[in-house]
Amino acid sequence: MRSSVTCGFSLLSIQQSSFSQEASNFISVAFTPYVTIDSPAYILFEGFVGAYAPSGVIELLDTSPSSICVDDVTCNKLFDISIFGDGLSKAEWSDVNQSLALRSNRPITPQMTVRFTWKLTNGQLGQSSPTIFASGISGNCSLGITEFTSVGGNEQILLLADVSGSLVSQSTPLNSALNTLTVRLSFNFDLGYQDFSSLTLSGLGASSTHEGFILLSSPSNQSWPSTTTTAYYNRSASYLVMNISNIKSFTNYSFSFNLSNPSAGQLAPDIFLHLSGAATITRRLLSNDQGNAAPLFVYG
C-alpha cells in the first residue's frame, strides 16, 4: 500500500533562456526534496502555456547528477521512460497537455539538487508568465501539487515579449495638413543599453510625405528609448522603422513624428508593431485613438 506521507520540495525553481516570440527556449529546472523520494517515482510538470514541442520522448540536457552507465546497453539514469536506454536522460512531452512527464530510476535524496534542461519553442503571441506546477507519486510518499518558483525579469518562465499598453493618436484629420502622430507604448520585458532591437510600425496608410528620415520627438517624462533622433519612413510600403534599446518593463513611453495627410479622405488604418533583434514581437496590433484623433483618419 502506498504511503500517505507527502514529500515536498525545499527547492523547486524554473527559468527560461529566451523571452522572444517564436524563439528556441531552453527551460531549466532545479529541485531538492525534503525527504528521500524512492524509485520508481513518477513526476509531472504542468502548465507550459505559450510554448510547444512535438509530443513524445525528448532528451533532457545538462542533467545533474549525470547519467551513470554500467555499460553501453544498461544505464542507471536518473530519469528515463525505461530502465534500459542509450545513456541519455529522457522524459515525455505532451503538447496537448503542455506537460513533461518523468520517471526516476533511482532515489532522490535531500542531499541532491536535481538539475536539467529541455528545449521548447515559444509561441507567436506575447504573454505574462504562467504558473507551472509539479506533482507526482513514489513508493514511499506522494508529491502534492506544488507551484514552481520562477526567477524575475526576462527569465520568468514563458514570459513572452509583448506590448503591455498602446495608443496611437493624431493632431488633425484635415486634408493635406501636417499631422503629428503620437505613439504611446509600454512593454512587459527589459532591454539593456546594449540590447538593440529594430522596431517597425507598419500599416501607416497613405501620406504625401516623401520617403526618407524623419525626426522623432518625445516628452522628457516619457522619453522614448530610440538610439537616434530619427526614423526611416518608407512611403511606398507605409512603414516607419527605428532602432531602440534600454527598455524598462511596464514603463510608459511616448514618441511623436510628423506625416502630411493625403489630399483624399481615408479611414484610420490598422497599425502594427514588429520588433526584431534582442527581443522579437512578430506582429502586434496597436490600439487607435477614437474619433478625429484616430491616427491617419482624414476627412473625405
mmCIF file of all heavy atoms in Angstrom, residues 210-228:
data_model
loop_
_atom_site.group_PDB
_atom_site.id
_atom_site.type_symbol
_atom_site.label_atom_id
_atom_site.label_comp_id
_atom_site.label_asym_id
_atom_site.label_seq_id
_atom_site.Cartn_x
_atom_site.Cartn_y
_atom_site.Cartn_z
ATOM 1 N N HIS A 210 7.463 62.675 -48.256
ATOM 2 C CA HIS A 210 8.456 61.994 -49.070
ATOM 3 C C HIS A 210 9.175 60.920 -48.258
ATOM 4 O O HIS A 210 9.357 61.042 -47.044
ATOM 5 C CB HIS A 210 9.477 62.990 -49.617
ATOM 6 C CG HIS A 210 8.898 63.968 -50.587
ATOM 7 N ND1 HIS A 210 8.334 63.592 -51.790
ATOM 8 C CD2 HIS A 210 8.777 65.324 -50.529
ATOM 9 C CE1 HIS A 210 7.908 64.664 -52.440
ATOM 10 N NE2 HIS A 210 8.150 65.732 -51.683
ATOM 11 N N GLU A 211 9.601 59.877 -48.924
ATOM 12 C CA GLU A 211 10.344 58.810 -48.269
ATOM 13 C C GLU A 211 11.695 59.313 -47.784
ATOM 14 O O GLU A 211 12.355 60.106 -48.452
ATOM 15 C CB GLU A 211 10.537 57.645 -49.248
ATOM 16 C CG GLU A 211 11.208 56.435 -48.631
ATOM 17 C CD GLU A 211 11.066 55.194 -49.484
ATOM 18 O OE1 GLU A 211 9.990 55.015 -50.107
ATOM 19 O OE2 GLU A 211 12.026 54.407 -49.525
ATOM 20 N N GLY A 212 12.107 58.823 -46.594
ATOM 21 C CA GLY A 212 13.405 59.217 -46.055
ATOM 22 C C GLY A 212 13.365 59.289 -44.533
ATOM 23 O O GLY A 212 12.411 58.827 -43.890
ATOM 24 N N PHE A 213 14.399 59.882 -43.949
ATOM 25 C CA PHE A 213 14.484 60.001 -42.493
ATOM 26 C C PHE A 213 13.624 61.148 -41.999
ATOM 27 O O PHE A 213 13.596 62.232 -42.602
ATOM 28 C CB PHE A 213 15.933 60.215 -42.062
ATOM 29 C CG PHE A 213 16.785 58.985 -42.208
ATOM 30 C CD1 PHE A 213 17.580 58.814 -43.334
ATOM 31 C CD2 PHE A 213 16.772 57.996 -41.233
ATOM 32 C CE1 PHE A 213 18.362 57.677 -43.476
ATOM 33 C CE2 PHE A 213 17.546 56.846 -41.380
ATOM 34 C CZ PHE A 213 18.335 56.687 -42.502
ATOM 35 N N ILE A 214 12.899 60.902 -40.902
ATOM 36 C CA ILE A 214 12.070 61.937 -40.292
ATOM 37 C C ILE A 214 12.419 62.027 -38.808
ATOM 38 O O ILE A 214 12.904 61.063 -38.199
ATOM 39 C CB ILE A 214 10.564 61.665 -40.469
ATOM 40 C CG1 ILE A 214 10.168 60.317 -39.849
ATOM 41 C CG2 ILE A 214 10.183 61.694 -41.947
ATOM 42 C CD1 ILE A 214 8.672 60.051 -39.929
ATOM 43 N N LEU A 215 12.182 63.180 -38.225
ATOM 44 C CA LEU A 215 12.546 63.429 -36.835
ATOM 45 C C LEU A 215 11.545 62.782 -35.872
ATOM 46 O O LEU A 215 10.342 62.740 -36.130
ATOM 47 C CB LEU A 215 12.608 64.930 -36.572
ATOM 48 C CG LEU A 215 13.789 65.691 -37.185
ATOM 49 C CD1 LEU A 215 13.624 67.191 -36.957
ATOM 50 C CD2 LEU A 215 15.103 65.197 -36.575
ATOM 51 N N LEU A 216 12.090 62.314 -34.734
ATOM 52 C CA LEU A 216 11.278 61.820 -33.629
ATOM 53 C C LEU A 216 11.377 62.803 -32.474
ATOM 54 O O LEU A 216 12.434 63.389 -32.235
ATOM 55 C CB LEU A 216 11.770 60.453 -33.157
ATOM 56 C CG LEU A 216 11.779 59.311 -34.162
ATOM 57 C CD1 LEU A 216 12.433 58.071 -33.536
ATOM 58 C CD2 LEU A 216 10.372 58.981 -34.629
ATOM 59 N N SER A 217 10.289 62.986 -31.754
ATOM 60 C CA SER A 217 10.315 63.814 -30.547
ATOM 61 C C SER A 217 9.631 63.050 -29.428
ATOM 62 O O SER A 217 8.822 62.154 -29.667
ATOM 63 C CB SER A 217 9.621 65.161 -30.788
ATOM 64 O OG SER A 217 8.255 64.969 -31.128
ATOM 65 N N SER A 218 9.966 63.421 -28.192
ATOM 66 C CA SER A 218 9.421 62.699 -27.057
ATOM 67 C C SER A 218 9.430 63.602 -25.839
ATOM 68 O O SER A 218 10.393 64.337 -25.619
ATOM 69 C CB SER A 218 10.261 61.448 -26.785
ATOM 70 O OG SER A 218 9.742 60.716 -25.696
ATOM 71 N N PRO A 219 8.358 63.569 -25.017
ATOM 72 C CA PRO A 219 8.361 64.357 -23.772
ATOM 73 C C PRO A 219 9.390 63.805 -22.793
ATOM 74 O O PRO A 219 9.660 62.601 -22.776
ATOM 75 C CB PRO A 219 6.933 64.193 -23.240
ATOM 76 C CG PRO A 219 6.453 62.912 -23.838
ATOM 77 C CD PRO A 219 7.094 62.813 -25.192
ATOM 78 N N SER A 220 9.985 64.652 -21.995
ATOM 79 C CA SER A 220 11.077 64.248 -21.105
ATOM 80 C C SER A 220 10.624 63.227 -20.069
ATOM 81 O O SER A 220 11.411 62.364 -19.654
ATOM 82 C CB SER A 220 11.668 65.473 -20.398
ATOM 83 O OG SER A 220 10.662 66.146 -19.654
ATOM 84 N N ASN A 221 9.355 63.270 -19.648
ATOM 85 C CA ASN A 221 8.897 62.341 -18.615
ATOM 86 C C ASN A 221 8.509 60.979 -19.180
ATOM 87 O O ASN A 221 8.212 60.054 -18.422
ATOM 88 C CB ASN A 221 7.717 62.930 -17.845
ATOM 89 C CG ASN A 221 6.491 63.152 -18.714
ATOM 90 O OD1 ASN A 221 6.596 63.341 -19.922
ATOM 91 N ND2 ASN A 221 5.313 63.144 -18.097
ATOM 92 N N GLN A 222 8.464 60.841 -20.512
ATOM 93 C CA GLN A 222 8.174 59.551 -21.143
ATOM 94 C C GLN A 222 9.162 59.334 -22.294
ATOM 95 O O GLN A 222 8.797 58.930 -23.390
ATOM 96 C CB GLN A 222 6.730 59.495 -21.651
ATOM 97 C CG GLN A 222 5.681 59.511 -20.542
ATOM 98 C CD GLN A 222 4.267 59.350 -21.075
ATOM 99 O OE1 GLN A 222 3.990 59.630 -22.225
ATOM 100 N NE2 GLN A 222 3.379 58.883 -20.220
ATOM 101 N N SER A 223 10.417 59.594 -22.026
ATOM 102 C CA SER A 223 11.446 59.602 -23.059
ATOM 103 C C SER A 223 11.495 58.283 -23.813
ATOM 104 O O SER A 223 11.611 57.207 -23.226
ATOM 105 C CB SER A 223 12.803 59.882 -22.409
ATOM 106 O OG SER A 223 13.809 59.937 -23.377
ATOM 107 N N TRP A 224 11.411 58.385 -25.128
ATOM 108 C CA TRP A 224 11.398 57.206 -25.985
ATOM 109 C C TRP A 224 12.824 56.682 -26.155
ATOM 110 O O TRP A 224 13.732 57.433 -26.484
ATOM 111 C CB TRP A 224 10.791 57.563 -27.337
ATOM 112 C CG TRP A 224 10.820 56.464 -28.348
ATOM 113 C CD1 TRP A 224 11.449 56.484 -29.551
ATOM 114 C CD2 TRP A 224 10.180 55.202 -28.250
ATOM 115 N NE1 TRP A 224 11.244 55.292 -30.211
ATOM 116 C CE2 TRP A 224 10.469 54.484 -29.426
ATOM 117 C CE3 TRP A 224 9.397 54.585 -27.265
ATOM 118 C CZ2 TRP A 224 10.002 53.198 -29.658
ATOM 119 C CZ3 TRP A 224 8.928 53.297 -27.486
ATOM 120 C CH2 TRP A 224 9.222 52.623 -28.670
ATOM 121 N N PRO A 225 13.056 55.353 -25.956
ATOM 122 C CA PRO A 225 14.422 54.824 -25.950
ATOM 123 C C PRO A 225 14.979 54.507 -27.338
ATOM 124 O O PRO A 225 15.598 53.465 -27.550
ATOM 125 C CB PRO A 225 14.271 53.545 -25.117
ATOM 126 C CG PRO A 225 12.889 53.078 -25.405
ATOM 127 C CD PRO A 225 12.073 54.345 -25.534
ATOM 128 N N SER A 226 14.781 55.415 -28.283
ATOM 129 C CA SER A 226 15.391 55.236 -29.602
ATOM 130 C C SER A 226 16.881 55.534 -29.521
ATOM 131 O O SER A 226 17.314 56.394 -28.751
ATOM 132 C CB SER A 226 14.723 56.172 -30.612
ATOM 133 O OG SER A 226 15.360 56.104 -31.867
ATOM 134 N N THR A 227 17.664 54.820 -30.320
ATOM 135 C CA THR A 227 19.107 55.048 -30.310
ATOM 136 C C THR A 227 19.501 56.291 -31.092
ATOM 137 O O THR A 227 20.638 56.763 -30.979
ATOM 138 C CB THR A 227 19.843 53.833 -30.882
ATOM 139 O OG1 THR A 227 19.385 53.592 -32.224
ATOM 140 C CG2 THR A 227 19.575 52.588 -30.042
ATOM 141 N N THR A 228 18.590 56.836 -31.901
ATOM 142 C CA THR A 228 18.821 58.076 -32.638
ATOM 143 C C THR A 228 17.573 58.941 -32.549
ATOM 144 O O THR A 228 16.533 58.504 -32.051
ATOM 145 C CB THR A 228 19.157 57.813 -34.119
ATOM 146 O OG1 THR A 228 17.998 57.255 -34.764
ATOM 147 C CG2 THR A 228 20.330 56.851 -34.255
#
